[in-house]
Amino acid sequence: MPLVNSKELFQKAYEGGYAIGAFNVNNMEIIQGITEAAKELNSPLILQVSKGARAYANHTYLVKLVEAALIETDLPIVLHLDHGDSFELCKSCIDGGFTSVMIDGSGLPYEENVALTKKVVEYAHSRENYVTVEGELGTLAGVEDEVSVDAEEASYTNPSQVQDFVTRTGVDSLAIAIGTSHGAFKFKPGQKPQLRFDILEEITKRLPGFPIVLHGASSVIPEYVAMINQYGGKMDDAIGIPEDMLREAARSAVCKINIDSDIRLALTGSIRKYMGEHPGEFDPRKYLTPAREAVKGMVAHKIKNVLGSEGKA
Ligand code: G3H
Ligand code: 13P
Ligand code: ZN
């Protein structure tokens, strides 16, 4: 099966009360771990590439690895640009075979966000194979591409803007800020994790049937944080979004849930454990085999218990 855009996947997810996992990919082991889990559970997938991932692994390598995963799995897979920050970057990914892009103008003044997003949409939708576009309104706290946004500076999405934004830009999905946050330190120590479901409800009322995206949606799985801490790491205050909240979001208009930090934690926890137990080992295949298995297990858990996308491919 060739790569697909997100249009039909989101429509089915919306109607079926589940979400598609959008997992960040940076190398072969991560792609294999994610796609092997999805194949076993017959789940659709979004594999997303950030600007940093593209700089690290190279566009062609990532596209070819994802093409290999298509051959191996025969699943509906979207190849998506995560947090595109310019028209040129989005265009380069569209021209280079991506089936979906995000243009993140959320840090710009509203009218500039509208203008930039519209420009990307016009280009993406005019391709022979319609490329889907995700826009963003509202800003998340946390760290992405080495840019850190303080919780105080982050702002929730304003529901009164969403209709105007979607109509004028023509985006296919909208990322919103309701309290999720990028990275592994999403809440201050002692702070109670909270998502603003009231804002999500307001947005859904104004955009009936329209797919909503949640960034910063790792649950920062305690098992892997503990493993990292046990084997010489220091992530004591790491805290994520409770999985029951994410499951609730997946049942609603949220059709795409972004997960990167949980992949990093599974991989790193597993490698730390292996190296701690085998200090003389220096064959990367030895420690990357359990690390890939850890990613696979984590993704299977998300598909079954958070996203609800098992059997939906
Ligand atoms: O939201 C950002 C993703 O976690 C990607 O992170 O830009 O460090 O690759 P990155
Ligand atoms: P996490 O840091 O919570 O995994 O979020 C990832 C993300 O939003 C990628 O765009
Ligand atoms: Zn993000």
Side-chain angles (χ1 to χ4, degrees), residues 3-9 77-78 99-100 129-132:
L3 286 169
V4 296
N5 67 27
S6 64
K7 199 100 193 156
E8 200 183 316
L9 295 194
I77 297 178
V78 179
T99 49
S100 181
N129 293 319
Y130 183 106
V131 171
T132 40

Side-chain angles (χ1 to χ4, degrees), residues 24 48 82-83 181-183 186 215-218 258-261:
N24 285 73
Q48 57 185 11
D82 189 28
H83 292 285
S181 162
H182 288 110
K186 299 187 189 297
H215 282 247
S218 279
N258 283 14
I259 297 167
D260 187 4
S261 295

